[in-house]
Amino acid sequence: MLNPNAAGVYAIAPTPFHDDGRIDEASIDRMSDFYREAGCDGITVLGIMGEAPKLEPEEAVAVATRVIRRSRLPVIVGVSAPGFAAMRTLTRAVMDAGAAGVMIAPTSNLRTDDQIVGYYRQAAEAVGDVPWVIQDYPLTLSVVMTPAVIRRIVMDNPACVMLKHEDWPGLEKISALRGFQKDGSLRPLSILCGNGGLFLDFEMERGADGAMTGYCFPDMLVDVVRLSKAGRRDAAHDLFDAHLPLIRYEQQPAIGLSVRKYVMKRRGILASDAQRKPGTALSATAKAEVDYLLARLSRQDERAGRLAA
Amino acid sequence: MLNPNAAGVYAIAPTPFHDDGRIDEASIDRMSDFYREAGCDGITVLGIMGEAPKLEPEEAVAVATRVIRRSRLPVIVGVSAPGFAAMRTLTRAVMDAGAAGVMIAPTSNLRTDDQIVGYYRQAAEAVGDVPWVIQDYPLTLSVVMTPAVIRRIVMDNPACVMLKHEDWPGLEKISALRGFQKDGSLRPLSILCGNGGLFLDFEMERGADGAMTGYCFPDMLVDVVRLSKAGRRDAAHDLFDAHLPLIRYEQQPAIGLSVRKYVMKRRGILASDAQRKPGTALSATAKAEVDYLLARLSRQDERAGRLAA
Amino acid sequence: MLNPNAAGVYAIAPTPFHDDGRIDEASIDRMSDFYREAGCDGITVLGIMGEAPKLEPEEAVAVATRVIRRSRLPVIVGVSAPGFAAMRTLTRAVMDAGAAGVMIAPTSNLRTDDQIVGYYRQAAEAVGDVPWVIQDYPLTLSVVMTPAVIRRIVMDNPACVMLKHEDWPGLEKISALRGFQKDGSLRPLSILCGNGGLFLDFEMERGADGAMTGYCFPDMLVDVVRLSKAGRRDAAHDLFDAHLPLIRYEQQPAIGLSVRKYVMKRRGILASDAQRKPGTALSATAKAEVDYLLARLSRQDERAGRLAA
Amino acid sequence: MLNPNAAGVYAIAPTPFHDDGRIDEASIDRMSDFYREAGCDGITVLGIMGEAPKLEPEEAVAVATRVIRRSRLPVIVGVSAPGFAAMRTLTRAVMDAGAAGVMIAPTSNLRTDDQIVGYYRQAAEAVGDVPWVIQDYPLTLSVVMTPAVIRRIVMDNPACVMLKHEDWPGLEKISALRGFQKDGSLRPLSILCGNGGLFLDFEMERGADGAMTGYCFPDMLVDVVRLSKAGRRDAAHDLFDAHLPLIRYEQQPAIGLSVRKYVMKRRGILASDAQRKPGTALSATAKAEVDYLLARLSRQDERAGRLAA
C-alpha cells in the first residue's frame, strides 16, 4: 500500500491499443515488464496520458488489473471523474485487484481555496480508506493550488500520502512544502514530479522524492533520481541535459502522447502507437524530427559509453 | 424517432434521488406522468441538469429506460462524454430501449471553428445512424459556435436534426439560422431553446420551434409556446412575465437545480430534492424566497382566473 | 468622500459619444442631470459599461471631471487597469477633480485567495489614501472571491469602504458578509449591487445597502431601494417585477450596453447610442423588441397610476 | 519599414527600470547596443515581456523612441491595447519616431474564427497604413488561431507583413502556412518565432524566417538561425542544445522575465533586474540555479572553443 515514504520513479503508463482501437493486452504485458526492468519503483495507470476517459469502466478495471498482476510493482490508478459514484466504483474495483493507491485530479470548475479543499474532502469520502495522491496540474486542469491549500488537504485527510507535482513553474512550491514540514505544520508527504520531467533536475534538488511521469526513457529518470540523491549533481545534469531536447519535444500539449507512443513503438514496447478518438497523430515530418532526436541521443550515448555512467 | 419537425416543449428532466442518494424510481414515474400531463411533447434525460456524470453507466441506462417506458413520449438522452467509447455504448443502450434520439455537447477544450466541426464529425461516427441534437451552451461549456459553424455541422451530418439553443445572448443566432434556411444554405432543423426559458418569449418570435428546458412549471412553457405560435403575442408575454421572477431565480448557476428540485418536491412530483455529491443545497432563506415567489405566482394565478386564459 | 455608510443608488454611467466617436459633452451634462433628478445618490463613471478602456487617459479624466462638476453628486471612478502606474495616475487626477472614491476590479489572471488579497494590497498602495471599492464580478472578470477573501481585503485595507457586489449567484454572499459583521469579524462596509439589477429585489432583503448599476430606469431602482428599506416588501416586488422583462433583456452580455444606450437615447438623455469600437449594435428586430418592452412597461405604468405608488 | 522579407533575430527587449521603478535610460542604451552587437536584425519593444501595460502612455513612447534612435535597427513596437483609441495613438507616435512597424495581439475574449478575423480588421483600421505583425500566442492570450484564420487575416490586410509565431505546439502550423504559400493561397509573410526560443531548432527547419524572442543570449539565436539557414543541421542543434537547459528555465511562465532580467544584469547589460508591480522576484535558490546553468554553459563554451564554431 502506498505511503508517504514512496520515492523513486513511478512511470505514467499509456494505454496500449491495437490499430483498430481494441486494448492490446500483449503490449500491456511488455510495457509492464519494460517499466520494471527499467528500474521503476511503481507504475501509474489511467492518468491523463492514459486516455482514461476513452475507456469503458470495465476496460479501465481490466487495464489496471493486468498491469498490477504483470508488473508486480506498486500501481497507482487514476480515478478522477466528474462524479463521485464512478470514482468510488473504480477505486473499489482496482483496490480489490491489488492497486497500491489512487490518484485524484480536481475538476476544472474549482476556483477558490475553499472549493478545492472541499472537493478533496468529498473525494476522500468517496474513495474511502484508501491511500491517495493529489494531482496538481494547473496547465491542463485550470485549478491553482497554493502550498497552503495543499497543506490543508493533506492535514485534513489522513489517507492522502502523495503529491503529484506538476505546477509550472513549480520549484518554489516544492521548497515551500518542504519548508512547512521543517516548521512542523505539514506531516510527511511523498512528492513525485510530473510535467514530462522537464524540470526533474532541479525538482530533485528542491526536495522532491522522485518522478511520476511517462517520458519514454524511464531508465534515464531512474538514473537522474539516483544520481541526484547520491549528490552527484553534475552527473545528474549531464544525463538529464542529454535527454532534454527529446523531453522538451515530448512535452508539447496535445501531441505529447503521440510522441511518447511513437517512441515506445520504435523501442519495441508497444505494437501500435494508435490512440482512441479523439486523438492526434504525428505527421511524417514530426516522426522524422523524433527520429533525429533519437539518433542524436544514441550518438551521445555511444560517446558517453553508457548514458548514466 | 426524432426529426427536424420536432416542436413544442421537451422537458429537461432532473434525476430523482432518495435522500441517501439512491435513484428514486417512484419519483421517476410521477415525474414522467407529470410532464405528459403538463402537455410536454417530449422529455430530455441525462442532460447537464440531470446530474448525468454522477450516475454509473448502468444507472444512466436504467433512468432513461424507465422514463421512456413510463412517459410514452419521445425521449432524448444526453450522451455527452469525454470519450467516444462511453458515448457509443450509452447511445446503443438507450436507442435499444426506445429513445427518440441523443444529445451531444462539445467538450470544453474546443476553440476553433474547425475543432468544433471536427469534434461533431467524430461524435456522429461514434453514435452511428441515430438522430441527434447539438447542444450549444457557451456559458457552461465554454465553446462558442457561430451560426455558420452550426450550419457546417448540420450540413455535414444528416443525422443531426435539432439544435438545443442556449447561447446567451442568442436571439440573433436564431434569426441568422432561420435566414440561412430562407437563402437555401441550411436544411430544415428543429430549434428548441434552453437557458431555463429566460428568453422564451422572444425566442419564439425569432423562429424557435419551442423550448427544451427544465423550468419547474412546464405547463407555462407549453402555454407560452402555444400562444406564441397562435400569434397571441400579448397573452404569451403576460403569461411569461408572470413567471419571470421565478424563472430568473431558477436560472442562477450552481443553485438552479436546487431550486428546481425544491419546487418539484413542493409540487409533490419528487419525494426528495436531494442531489448526489458534489451538489448544492438551498439555505433556509433561499427556500423562503422561493416560497414567496410561488405565493406571488399563485396570487397572480387567482387574479387571472387561469394563467393562460 | 465615500465612506462605509454610502447607500441608495449609484448609477453606472455609460460614456456618451457622438456618432463619429467623439465624446459628447452635452449628453454628459444631460445624463448627469437625469441621474440627479431620478434620485440617485451617486454616479459611477468609467466602469466596465463605461467603455473605459477605449478612452485616452486625458479623455477619461475629462469625462470624470465633467460628471463630477455637473452632477454635484458623489462620483466613483473606475480606475481598473492592467498596470498600477496608470491606476495611480488616473486616481490622482480624478481625486484632484473632486471624485468621492475609486473602484478597482481584479485582473483576470488571479486565481488563488492569496493572489487576490495580494493584488488588492498592491492596488491599495498604488491609489494611496483614497476611499475605494472592490468590484466582485466573476462572470466577466473570471475571478472568484469568497466572503472570507472579501473580509481579508476589507480588514487589510482601511481605505476600502464599499463592495460592488455582482457575483452570480450572490444572495448567500451578502448574507455571509452581513453575518461576519454580526459576529464582529468584519468592520462596516457598504454593499451596493450590480448585475444590471437582476436580483435587486432579494439583494435588498439580504442586507444590501442599495444598487450600483446602469439599468436605464434608475428611478425604479431608487423606488425599489426605498420601498424595500421601508419594509414594503410586496410593493417593492410589484414595481421590480414590472421592470424585470426589460432588466433581463438589458442584462444580456455583449449587447447589454447597446440596449441601455438605445433606451437612454429614446428617453432623450443621450444624443446618440454609438459605441466606440469594438462595440456592438442592435439589429432592427432587437430594437423593436426593446420598443415592445417599453410599450408594455408604459401601459403597466398607466394602469398603476404611478409605478411606485 | 518592415516588410514580408524580414528575417533573422528580432530581440524582444525588456523595459529596464531602476530599483525604484523609474525607467533606466542608460540601461536602455546599453541594451540597444548589446542587441546590435549580438547581431540582431531588429528589436521589438513593449511586448508582453516588456511590461508595456505598466507604462504610462508617454513613457511607452519614450522607451520606443530611445531604442529606435540608439539601436539604429528596425524596431517593432507592441501596441496591443484593450481599446483602439490607445492603439491608434501609440502607433502614430512611434511611427513618427521612426518605428519599422507595430505588433498586435488579440484580446483574450475572442473565440470564433470570425471574431478573430473581425478584430484584426478593426485593429488594422485603427493603426492605419503601417506595417504590422500578428501575435499568435495562445498559451498567454487564450486565443487560438488556425492556419486558415491567419491566412484570412493576412489576405484581408495588405499591411500585415509578419507573424510572431508562438503557438504551442506550433511546428505543424509553420508547415501549414508555408504549404498555403506553395499552393498560392497565401502571399509572402515573414514568420518569426517566439516561445522563448524553446523550439527554434525545428522551427527553422519547418520554414521559419527567424526568431523574435528575448532569450538572454541573442547571439546564440543569431548563430542558430545562421547555421540552420546554411544547412548545418547538426551544428545548429549542438549549439541550441547547449543552451536548452537555460532556455527551458527562462521559459517558465510568470518568472521567466525575472530570469531574463537577472541574467542581463549579471551580463552587465541592465543596471537592475527590477520589475514594476505587479512583478515577480527570484528566490535566492532560483538565482543559484540560474548561476549553475550559466556556469555549465560557460564550461561547455570553453570546451567547444567558441559556442557556434
Side-chain angles (χ1 to χ4, degrees), chain C residues 222-237:
Chain C
V222 169
D223 287 335
V224 166
V225 167
R226 183 178 47 77
L227 290 165
S228 189
K229 284 186 179 169
R232 298 181 54 194
R233 188 183 201 191
D234 287 349
H237 279 274

Side-chain angles (χ1 to χ4, degrees), chain A residues 90-194:
Chain A
L90 181 56
T91 298
R92 284 181 191 168
V94 297
M95 293 308 292
D96 284 351
V102 299
M103 183 162 70
I104 304 171
T107 52
S108 63
N109 60 317
L110 304 170
R111 280 289 169 275
T112 70
D113 290 5
D114 287 348
Q115 286 172 345
I116 299 167
V117 171
Y119 180 82
Y120 272 105
R121 190 177 308 119
Q122 292 191 308
E125 237 180 80
V127 300
D129 190 22
V130 160
W132 56 271
V133 181
I134 303 170
Q135 183 170 20
D136 178 23
Y137 192 12
L139 178 65
T140 291
L141 301 169
S142 309
V143 177
V144 183
M145 307 187 201
T146 60
V149 160
I150 293 169
R151 179 172 56 185
R152 282 174 65 190
I153 297 170
V154 174
M155 298 310 280
D156 280 6
N157 299 289
C160 175
V161 296
M162 185 186 283
L163 172 68
K164 181 174 188 207
H165 168 276
E166 38 194 343
D167 200 348
W168 180 54
L171 295 173
E172 298 302 334
K173 186 176 266 185
I174 299 174
S175 296
L177 290 168
R178 292 312 188 202
F180 288 161
Q181 292 177 320
K182 267 185 209 141
D183 74 24
S185 65
L186 177 64
R187 62 172 171 76
L189 176 74
S190 171
I191 301 180
L192 301 187
C193 299

